[in-house]
């Protein structure tokens, strides 16, 4: 579906952050600290990567809607 096609365009770490932060595969949403710990990065770095991934998804969404 549309969301999956957008998520496929992210790298593995960024996709992990988006999917787990927003609980897109079910379950409970994960905190930045918890995801950072799982990935071996700081909470701040997880926040930065999540924000970057969300900006990329926004740009991709605009590009697809313009077609």
């Amino acid at each position: 579906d549309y969301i999956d096609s957008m998520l496929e365009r992210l790298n593995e770490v960024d996709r992990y952050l988006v999917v787990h932060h927003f609980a897109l595969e079910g379950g409970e949403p994960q905190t930045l600290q918890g995801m950072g710990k799982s990935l071996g990065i700081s909470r701040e770095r997880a926040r930065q990567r999540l924000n970057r991934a969300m900006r990329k998804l926004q740009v991709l969404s605009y590009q697809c809607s313009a077609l």
Side-chain angles (χ1 to χ4, degrees), residues 32-49:
L32 293 171
Q33 185 168 349
M35 291 185 299
K37 189 173 186 178
S38 296
L39 295 170
I41 60 177
S42 69
R43 183 193 75 74
E44 177 61 18
R45 186 65 182 137
R47 184 192 67 76
Q48 292 169 354
R49 296 281 305 253

Side-chain angles (χ1 to χ4, degrees):
D1 83 309
Y2 180 76
I3 293 175
D4 289 333
S5 69
M6 291 291 115
L7 290 173
E8 286 176 5
R9 298 175 184 212
L10 297 176
N11 68 44
E12 187 176 337
V13 172
D14 293 346
R15 184 173 35 245
Y16 173 89
L17 290 167
V18 171
V19 167
H20 288 85
H21 186 70
F22 296 104
L24 297 179
E25 295 177 346
E28 292 291 318
Q30 299 292 312
T31 63
L32 293 171
Q33 185 168 349
M35 291 185 299
K37 189 173 186 178
S38 296
L39 295 170
I41 60 177
S42 69
R43 183 193 75 74
E44 177 61 18
R45 186 65 182 137
R47 184 192 67 76
Q48 292 169 354
R49 296 281 305 253
L50 178 62
N51 286 343
R52 185 183 71 178
M54 295 305 293
R55 282 192 308 273
K56 184 173 183 180
L57 289 173
Q58 186 177 32
V59 167
L60 291 170
S61 177
Y62 288 148
Q63 289 173 349
C64 287
S65 66
L67 297 177

